[in-house]
Amino acid sequence: METSTERPGGRRVVVTGATGNVGTGVVRALAADPQIGSVLGLARRRPGLDIAKVAWDTVDLSREGSEEQLTGLLDGADAVVHLAWRFQPTHDPVTTWRSNVLGSQRVFRAVERSGVPALVHASSVGAYSPGPKHEPGVDEQWPTDGWPDAAYSREKAYLERVLDAYELRNPQVRVVRMRPGFLFKETAAPEQRRIFAGRHVPGTLIRPDLLPFVPDLEGLRFQVLHTDDAAEAYRLAVLRDVRGPFNLAADPVLDAGRLAELLNARAVRVPRALVRAALATAWRAHAVPASPHLFDAVLRLPLLDSTRAHEELGWRPTRTAEEALRAFLRGVREGRGEDTAPLVGRRIG
């Protein structure tokens, strides 16, 4: 059951990375809960969003001096939800390491120094070691060593080790690790198109009638979740007395066949090596931001079993994986976004 509210007027929650795909969903989910008194959303750039009970402030976690600033901002918080993450530049892993790994460690230390009793950290399916592609999937005990060639996977896995040690040193902090599959919603689609396809690929080109086929690649089986359903899991993790990791995924598992049905196209078997070679050439030429190393990782990700989230969080997705993907495709084509720097809507980058 949900724990009682100790603070008169409701709990105070701080959310890092509050202006991105997951962050905008989490601050709205928290703000709508009567047990939450206030939410402080942190990001590198202040957004134009106006949400009841939500205040905004700016912090750049990649800066060395940000830990002291963050410690002050966390003072009096009942929980911190750490979502801040930088996906690019994929050609400069030192930059992403400074933001993602060193920045996360600054958040963890600030939580300790400020005496915040709960930390909810955004891990990922990408933290898992390669695993089985058959259902029902792996539980939270599957190794989290990632895929070492991919910066995203490597950084997520490294932070799992950091939190292992952190929990031993700080048993007074209730640490929760969320490990969702791919997260999509309509207003985040322009950002995701820019991250993976690049700024200069028009969203209007991503139409079923312009896709002659869907490549059926070995290992192309993955799980999708609507971002708002993930946000609900974060809300529950803030309020409930739970610890440890939680897998988050929706049914059905997506593969080339299901993608072809959604796009009214044909699934055609294509050699994985051929697609990887083409992607590697485009990435080295800076034509696309998605790296071949991330491609390798995605095709090796295990499927997730979300039973623990169902039973201990009381969480279940309200949308299917197909509905989440349709929302993404709709958002890409229409260019809708939100009034935040990451989610600004553009049709052609």
Side-chain angles (χ1 to χ4, degrees):
M1 62 182 295
E2 297 185 5
T3 57
S4 60
T5 301
E6 299 177 3
R7 180 192 296 273
R11 302 188 188 194
R12 179 174 183 262
V13 183
V14 178
V15 181
T16 72
T19 59
N21 176 18
V22 185
T24 49
V26 169
V27 295
R28 287 191 173 100
L30 291 170
D33 192 301
Q35 296 181 77
I36 304 298
S38 66
V39 179
L40 175 61
L42 301 179
R44 286 188 296 136
R45 293 156 291 189
R46 190 180 297 270
L49 297 180
D50 184 10
I51 303 171
K53 295 199 295 189
V54 179
W56 304 97
D57 211 328
T58 57
V59 61
D60 184 350
L61 297 177
S62 67
R63 291 192 304 104
E64 291 187 8
S66 62
E67 187 173 332
E68 287 69 25
Q69 177 192 4
L70 191 60
T71 300
L73 291 170
L74 300 191
D75 185 46
D78 297 291
V80 170
V81 179
H82 177 46
L83 305 170
W85 197 263
R86 187 167 182 168
F87 290 91
Q88 293 178 349
T90 56
H91 289 85
D92 185 6
V94 172
T95 295
T96 59
W97 182 270
R98 286 172 178 161
S99 290
N100 299 335
V101 174
L102 301 185
S104 292
Q105 290 178 293
R106 292 181 180 110
V107 172
F108 302 160
R109 289 193 297 266
V111 166
E112 178 184 359
R113 291 170 61 181
S114 303
V116 180
L119 167 65
V120 184
H121 169 68
S123 188
S124 168
V125 62
Y128 281 119
S129 303
K133 292 286 189 177
H134 53 76
E135 300 175 65
V138 304
D139 66 13
E140 288 81 1
Q141 301 307 309
W142 192 258
T144 51
D145 297 320
W147 181 254
D149 282 349
Y152 174 85
S153 183
R154 183 170 63 244
E155 291 162 1
K156 289 291 188 184
Y158 186 88
L159 288 172
E160 291 277 354
R161 302 290 77 73
V162 170
L163 284 175
D164 289 343
Y166 182 86
E167 288 184 88
L168 291 174
R169 294 194 310 270
N170 298 281
Q172 78 282 3
V173 179
R174 181 174 65 85
V175 178
V176 180
R177 314 180 199 191
M178 293 301 197
R179 297 175 184 160
F182 296 95
L183 298 174
F184 295 125
K185 67 179 179 182
E186 186 170 342
T187 56
E191 177 199 28
Q192 291 170 322
R193 172 175 57 81
R194 293 191 293 269
I195 288 174
F196 299 108
R199 293 180 175 273
H200 305 295
V201 175
T204 50
L205 292 181
I206 304 179
R207 292 165 25 200
D209 57 311
L210 295 179
L211 294 174
F213 67 90
V214 173
D216 184 3
L217 305 172
E218 179 187 356
L220 185 62
R221 283 177 60 80
F222 60 99
Q223 289 162 300
V224 165
L225 180 66
H226 196 285
T227 305
D228 290 346
D229 283 328
E232 171 63 8
Y234 279 94
R235 183 192 70 83
L236 291 169
V238 166
L239 294 173
R240 297 197 171 193
D241 188 18
V242 296
R243 293 173 178 256
F246 290 93
N247 292 341
L248 304 175
D251 293 326
V253 173
L254 299 181
D255 56 19
R258 286 191 180 272
L259 290 175
E261 291 177 11
L262 281 170
L263 297 169
N264 194 26
R266 295 181 301 115
V268 177
R269 194 70 174 178
V270 178
R272 186 163 68 182
L274 180 64
V275 176
R276 190 195 188 281
L279 177 60
T281 299
W283 180 72
R284 284 194 294 268
H286 293 256
V288 297
S291 77
H293 314 295
L294 184 61
F295 173 83
D296 294 336
V298 167
L299 295 184
R300 290 168 172 82
L301 294 176
L303 296 185
L304 302 178
D305 180 351
S306 301
T307 299
R308 183 169 190 250
H310 299 165
E311 295 179 350
E312 296 189 31
L313 271 183
W315 171 85
R316 288 189 180 271
T318 61
R319 301 168 182 83
T320 67
E322 292 168 331
E323 288 173 320
L325 190 59
R326 286 193 187 98
F328 165 75
L329 293 171
R330 189 165 55 248
V332 168
R333 291 192 296 266
E334 297 176 3
R336 289 190 56 204
E338 299 201 48
D339 193 4
T340 76
L343 302 187
V344 61
R346 300 191 193 102
R347 282 186 174 273
I348 310 182

